[in-house]
Amino acid sequence: MRRAKIALIGGGQIGGVLAQLIAVRQLGDGVLFDIVEDFPQGKTLDIAEASAIDGFDARITGTNSYADIADSDIVIITAGLPRKPGMSRDDLLTTNAKIMKSVAENVAKYAPNSTVIVISNPLDAMVTLFQKVSGFPYNRVIGQAGVLDSSRFATFIAWELGVSVKDINAMTLGGHGDTMVPLTRYANVNGIPVMELLERKYKDAGKAAEVMNAIIERTKMAGGEVVKLLKTGSAFYSPASAAIQMAEAILFDEKRVLPVCAHLNGQFGVEGYYVGVPAIIGKDGVENVVEFSLAEEEKSALDKSVDAVKELVDAMNRLGF
Ligand code: APR
């Protein structure tokens, strides 16, 4: 049986970590594509030269030719420019839309049966554009945002409560921007509501709510916090890990319930837009969107987030993409 083939479009910061994770986890053969000559070849040579140490047989190669992504099972896209300090994800719109258009045309040409995970920002617009240009079925074009946003939310909760992050279940919905909706009511530690634990810790419901609000704000601004500290570029380790979790769910047909940017067709009252929601991820990509009831304020926060996504997509359409 042939090994899975995973193409990475964009060999920058995230692309490099993706390639290394694919190698050390032995997920399949990885092809790292970038437009900069020699750059992806250099990165993958460096990774491959650790194969004797890490003990992997997977072939990790670099290329400047789209022909080398032929017959990929999964394609993960990070091509584009990252944010600079003070820049919003939306500022990236025009530049990255041009890049995404050419990427989508080439992926459609060379890897027409692949399942695609988009990471490039502004995410909700880029995933929409990729699907539109490639003409791929909606279930095979998925955006990565919610897995990372939720991981950030879970991490901050774990730090606050002093418990293992492995025992935290926490999820964010909505767009990958400042309007994302971290779901406090469903956040739990092995089933125990986080809010109850915070109230017991602080013996004061008001203080517990204040602490949770601070966690929510930090989650929403977490990407910007990293950008500000790095000064050159944006987060790259955590987005790569998030996309790998999604890729594993597809490769191993895991049926994981992951928060991803999926195309909605009436679910959560949204028609015809890509929005962050929990979905069953397996060999067919998004196999089902998982709907559940939202409290009034959660629904209105999600509606607000969907409005922001619509604005972004409409702006992209006005720009002629
Ligand atoms: N085709 C392929 N690769 C391209 C193209 C293109 N048309 N244009 C640019 N690239 C490459 C760049 O050469 C660069 O190596 O995309 C890579 C992007 O890498 P980085 O600049 O290091 O950015 P990174 O941190 O990996 O983030 C990539 O993901 O999270 C988002 O906001 C982030 O949009 C950004 C993307």
Side-chain angles (χ1 to χ4, degrees), residues 240-302:
S241 291
I244 290 294
Q245 186 175 67
M246 293 166 65
E248 284 177 342
I250 298 164
L251 285 170
F252 306 126
D253 194 20
E254 289 176 331
K255 317 288 186 203
R256 297 256 352 231
V257 177
L258 298 176
V260 300
C261 186
H263 190 266
L264 299 187
N265 193 10
Q267 299 95 332
F268 295 99
V270 181
E271 191 69 59
Y273 282 90
Y274 268 94
V275 175
V277 290
I280 298 174
I281 308 295
K283 66 177 177 4
D284 297 323
V286 170
E287 299 191 347
N288 229 330
V289 169
V290 179
E291 272 194 285
F292 58 97
S293 56
L294 293 172
E296 213 167 285
E297 69 273 16
E298 292 160 350
K299 177 77 176 89
S300 72
L302 181 63

Side-chain angles (χ1 to χ4, degrees), residues 9-15 33-36 39 43 66 77-83 89 92 96 99 102-103 119-122 233-236 239:
I9 312 297
Q13 297 278 65
I14 302 176
F33 172 93
D34 203 286
I35 47 165
V36 180
F39 187 59
K43 275 206 175 179
Y66 270 110
I77 303 172
T78 61
L81 303 187
R83 278 196 287 171
R89 289 185 181 94
L92 286 177
N96 284 357
I99 294 172
S102 81
V103 170
I119 304 183
S120 310
N121 273 317
S234 51
F236 55 100

